[in-house]
Amino acid sequence: AIEKLDYLGYINDEAFATEYAGYLFEVKKYDVKRISYELKLKGIDSEIASNALKTLDNEPILRIIEMLRTKYYNKTNSEKELKKLVNRFVRMGYSYSDIRSAFDECELEMPGY
C-alpha cells in the first residue's frame, strides 16, 4: 500500500513541507522560526524543512509593520493591548528586536516588561 501511495505521489515530504510552510507564512503570518518548529513537529527532516524555508520571502520587520497597520490597527490604543500584540508576535516566532524595530517604525511605544 505504501509503495502504491509513493508511486501516485501522495508521499512526498518536500512537496508537503513547501506547501505547509507557504500556508503558515501567508495565511497564519508566522515567522520562519515558528514555521521551522511546526515542520519539525510534523516529522519533516531538517534539511527538507530548510529547503522549504528558503522558498519564503522573509522580511520580518516589514511583515510586522504590515500587520500593525492593517490587521491590528485598532488594537494599539492601550499599553495592555500593545503587550498582547507583542506576546502574539513572539508566539508567531518573531524576535523582540524585530518587534521593537517595527513598533519604532510605526511610532508605537513598546510596552515595558
Side-chain angles (χ1 to χ4, degrees):
I2 292 177
E3 287 178 14
K4 185 172 183 178
L5 290 173
D6 190 32
Y7 174 75
L8 294 172
Y10 293 127
I11 301 175
N12 186 340
D13 283 350
E14 288 97 8
F16 171 77
T18 302
E19 185 176 329
Y20 191 56
Y23 166 77
L24 293 175
F25 188 76
E26 295 297 329
V27 177
K28 297 285 191 173
K29 305 291 187 195
Y30 288 170
D31 189 47
V32 292
K33 288 177 266 181
R34 172 75 186 264
I35 296 170
S36 175
Y37 173 75
E38 293 291 331
L39 290 173
K40 287 178 184 173
L41 282 179
K42 295 285 186 187
I44 302 297
D45 181 62
S46 61
E47 184 177 331
I48 294 171
S50 176
N51 290 337
L53 295 175
K54 288 178 185 175
T55 64
L56 305 175
D57 183 29
N58 189 31
E59 296 282 340
I61 297 170
L62 295 178
R63 289 171 54 85
I64 296 169
I65 291 170
E66 177 187 337
M67 287 185 276
L68 286 170
R69 290 185 175 161
T70 57
K71 185 175 183 179
Y72 302 121
Y73 179 73
N74 293 330
K75 299 187 185 224
T76 59
N77 299 328
S78 70
E79 185 172 344
K80 182 178 178 181
E81 290 175 335
L82 290 173
K83 282 184 179 183
K84 286 182 180 181
L85 277 176
V86 170
N87 290 332
R88 177 174 285 145
F89 289 134
V90 169
R91 284 190 307 273
M92 293 169 75
Y94 295 98
S95 70
Y96 280 109
S97 62
D98 290 342
I99 297 167
R100 181 176 302 281
S101 296
F103 271 62
D104 289 344
E105 183 72 28
C106 292
E107 297 179 356
L108 293 171
E109 184 71 29
M110 184 82 164
Y113 282 91

